[in-house]
């Protein structure tokens, strides 16, 4: 016959269970509430008045062994609706071992050739180009476009219109050129709809910073001199956006213009890319979240506060896993202990999950993927497991170029 269970032990076990549920509930509630607020403010933005079209742009394309697509990118940039005397296209052939430099020159770009055995990666290529452009003193602003991208014809007009209204850094919509390539690219397109469009619209509407997404962003030369580009992490775009915010410069969002890049569909290549992105994001959270939050509270700065919150909110798949754990843990504990406090956590998790569903649904709506995107969302559980397996593997320690898939 089993000995009776001590009531004090039962009370202690219940207390520990409630502590665990509380630890699950705090990030789930904060993240889902934050994302729901941004979702509710994600209506399309009003376009600013047309610019005077006097601004001079240097367009920088960092390229490492991009022979396959560099000419297409240069042609897309050349066809933008802007006075050709007020724009220059620079391709940084960074540590290339193919004919990227020659092909870019043949397409009409100015080519900067850079070689360095140790300082490698996109951040170093951009720093090199920015230094050259600033020393030249020709441009009013510098635009960054990835080497596998095509841009909307109104990109420079959208940037110029905001610069003339006083903005010093702008991010255009960063979209995907090949969303229908696979279920994985469809899911990423929906996710980018939520991450890039929904959140950026809301932040711009609130006067906050949309952040820098790595492709299709612009900074005035004055801002670049004030905040030199020293961003060499795995997610150099996120890093520089935070550094701008700490210096009091927000990143505006150009909703009507875009720079669209290719998204890999191969599981092996996508795994390496995703692991690099998320390792870099966690690194930025460890490095900048607390200092940015402290600075925001000290200066009562809403832009910095939102940047800190953005760093603290985990990628959506992790928020979903957190919420599911809260739901299962709350209801399981409530059933086991027949205790209303535990059941409350389960219902709280349900409310959080509904908020996340609304956020994802809005991301799907603005992504333009239609029925294929909706069907791809049924693969989301497999995608989450895939991402978790990636992050449990070996961590990236340096920038590695994403391999391009031949279209």
């Amino acid at each position: 016959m089993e000995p009776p269970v001590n009531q004090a032990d039962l009370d202690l076990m219940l207390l520990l269970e409630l502590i665990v549920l509380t630890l699950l509930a705090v990030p789930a509630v904060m993240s889902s509430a934050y994302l729901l607020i941004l979702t509710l403010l994600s209506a399309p933005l009003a376009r600013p008045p047309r610019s005077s079209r006097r601004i001079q742009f240097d367009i920088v394309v960092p390229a490492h062994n991009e022979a396959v697509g560099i000419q297409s990118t240069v042609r897309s940039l050349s066809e933008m609706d802007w006075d050709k005397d007020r724009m220059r296209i620079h391709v940084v052939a960074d540590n290339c071992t193919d004919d990227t430099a020659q092909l870019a020159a043949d397409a009409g770009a100015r080519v900067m050739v850079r070689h360095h055995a140790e300082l490698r990666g996109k951040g170093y290529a951009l720093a090199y180009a920015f230094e050259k452009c600033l020393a030249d003193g020709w441009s009013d602003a510098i635009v960054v476009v990835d080497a596998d991208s095509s841009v909307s014809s109104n990109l420079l007009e959208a940037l110029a219109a905001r610069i003339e209204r006083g903005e010093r850094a702008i991010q255009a919509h960063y979209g995907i050129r090949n969303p229908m390539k696979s279920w994985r690219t469809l899911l990423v397109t929906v996710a980018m709809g939520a991450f890039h469009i929904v959140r950026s619209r809301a932040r711009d509407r609130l006067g906050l910073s949309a952040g820098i997404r790595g492709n299709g962003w612009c900074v005035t030369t004055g801002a670049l001199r004030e905040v030199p580009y020293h961003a060499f992490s795995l997610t150099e775009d996120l890093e520089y956006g935070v550094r701008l915010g700490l210096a009091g410069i927000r990143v505006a969002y150009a909703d009507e213009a875009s720079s669209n890049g290719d998204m890999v569909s191969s599981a092996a290549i996508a795994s390496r890319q995703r692991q690099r992105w998320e390792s870099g994001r966690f690194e930025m959270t460890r490095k900048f979240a607390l200092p940015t939050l402290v600075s925001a509270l000290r200066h009562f700065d809403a832009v910095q506060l939102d940047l800190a919150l953005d760093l603290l909110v985990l990628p959506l798949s992790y928020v979903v896993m957190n919420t599911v754990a809260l739901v299962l843990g709350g209801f399981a504990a409530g059933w086991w202990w027949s205790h209303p406090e535990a059941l409350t956590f389960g219902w709280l998790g349900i409310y959080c999950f509904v908020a996340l569903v609304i956020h994802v649904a809005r991301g799907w709506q603005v992504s333009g993927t239609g029925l294929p995107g909706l069907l791809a969302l049924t693969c989301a559980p497999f995608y989450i497991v895939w991402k978790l397996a990636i992050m449990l593997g070996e961590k990236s320690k340096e920038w590695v170029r994403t391999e391009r898939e031949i279209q």
Side-chain angles (χ1 to χ4, degrees), residues 69-198:
I70 191 63
Q71 289 193 320
S72 173
T73 298
V74 172
R75 281 195 298 270
S76 175
L77 294 170
S78 301
E79 293 168 358
M80 285 189 292
D81 180 20
W82 200 251
D83 187 341
K84 299 304 179 283
D85 293 334
R86 295 184 181 276
M87 59 178 279
R88 304 190 305 188
I89 302 169
H90 305 272
V91 170
V92 188
D94 187 66
N95 289 291
C96 291
T97 56
D98 63 3
D99 54 353
T100 294
Q102 185 59 55
L103 290 170
D106 291 345
R110 299 165 180 254
V111 178
M112 303 178 185
V113 177
R114 176 183 178 273
H115 290 286
H116 200 291
E118 297 177 358
L119 305 181
R120 305 170 66 87
K122 184 178 178 180
Y124 292 106
L126 289 178
Y128 180 83
F130 291 164
E131 181 181 358
K132 297 291 186 183
C133 292
L134 288 179
D136 191 22
W138 178 84
S139 60
D140 303 301
I142 301 175
V143 183
V144 176
V145 174
D146 279 352
D148 64 338
S149 302
S150 58
V151 300
S152 60
S153 62
N154 67 333
L155 176 62
L156 296 185
E157 167 58 35
L159 301 176
R162 287 165 174 80
I163 292 172
E164 291 185 353
R165 296 180 67 191
E167 302 293 355
R168 306 180 68 192
I170 307 105
Q171 173 68 59
H173 170 53
Y174 175 15
I176 295 179
R177 290 197 300 186
N178 59 337
M180 302 299 174
K181 183 77 173 179
S182 70
W183 67 268
R184 185 176 286 104
T185 57
L186 278 165
L187 270 181
V188 173
T189 303
V190 172
M192 289 176 73
F195 188 71
H196 288 183
I197 303 177
V198 172

Side-chain angles (χ1 to χ4, degrees), residues 106 109 146 215 217 285 300 310:
D106 291 345
D146 279 352
N215 189 5
W217 63 277
T285 298
F300 299 99
D310 184 51

Side-chain angles (χ1 to χ4, degrees), residues 172-388:
H173 170 53
Y174 175 15
I176 295 179
R177 290 197 300 186
N178 59 337
M180 302 299 174
K181 183 77 173 179
S182 70
W183 67 268
R184 185 176 286 104
T185 57
L186 278 165
L187 270 181
V188 173
T189 303
V190 172
M192 289 176 73
F195 188 71
H196 288 183
I197 303 177
V198 172
R199 302 186 199 184
S200 296
R201 283 178 177 177
R203 289 179 177 133
D204 195 77
R205 177 167 280 110
L206 294 170
L208 304 174
S209 179
I212 290 175
R213 306 305 180 196
N215 189 5
W217 63 277
C218 170
V219 62
T220 63
T221 52
L224 188 56
R225 288 190 176 94
E226 183 178 331
V227 187
Y229 190 86
H230 298 304
F232 308 116
S233 63
L234 294 174
T235 48
E236 78 295 323
D237 51 348
L238 175 61
E239 180 181 355
Y240 190 60
V242 173
R243 292 187 185 278
L244 286 172
L246 289 172
I249 301 174
R250 83 172 192 122
V251 181
Y253 181 58
D255 196 23
E256 75 275 20
S258 64
S259 181
N260 299 327
D262 290 328
M263 183 59 59
V264 295
S265 58
S266 160
I269 300 175
S271 295
R272 291 190 291 272
Q273 183 186 63
R274 180 59 55 180
Q275 202 274 337
R276 174 171 62 84
W277 283 351
E278 297 197 6
S279 292
R281 182 174 179 83
F282 289 135
E283 177 191 348
M284 289 299 98
T285 298
R286 289 191 296 269
K287 185 174 181 179
F288 284 108
L290 184 57
T292 304
L293 182 59
V294 170
S295 179
L297 297 176
R298 180 182 300 157
H299 299 101
F300 299 99
D301 191 302
V303 169
Q304 293 179 10
L305 178 60
D306 181 68
L307 286 170
L309 292 176
D310 184 51
L311 287 170
L312 290 170
V313 172
L314 294 175
L316 190 58
S317 56
Y318 298 101
V319 179
V320 171
M321 285 189 283
N322 178 182
T323 303
V324 170
L326 177 61
V327 172
L328 296 179
F331 284 121
W335 173 78
W336 180 262
W337 298 106
S338 299
H339 214 289
E341 283 91 340
L343 285 175
T344 299
F345 283 100
W347 285 110
L348 187 60
I350 291 291
Y351 297 142
C352 293
F353 192 77
V354 170
L356 295 177
V357 168
I358 292 172
H359 183 64
V360 172
R362 179 61 172 155
W364 164 75
Q365 184 183 39
V366 300
S367 73
T369 56
L371 182 59
L374 194 59
L375 293 175
L377 284 172
T378 62
C379 299
F382 304 103
Y383 184 77
I384 290 174
V385 172
W386 171 72
K387 282 184 60 175
L388 184 60

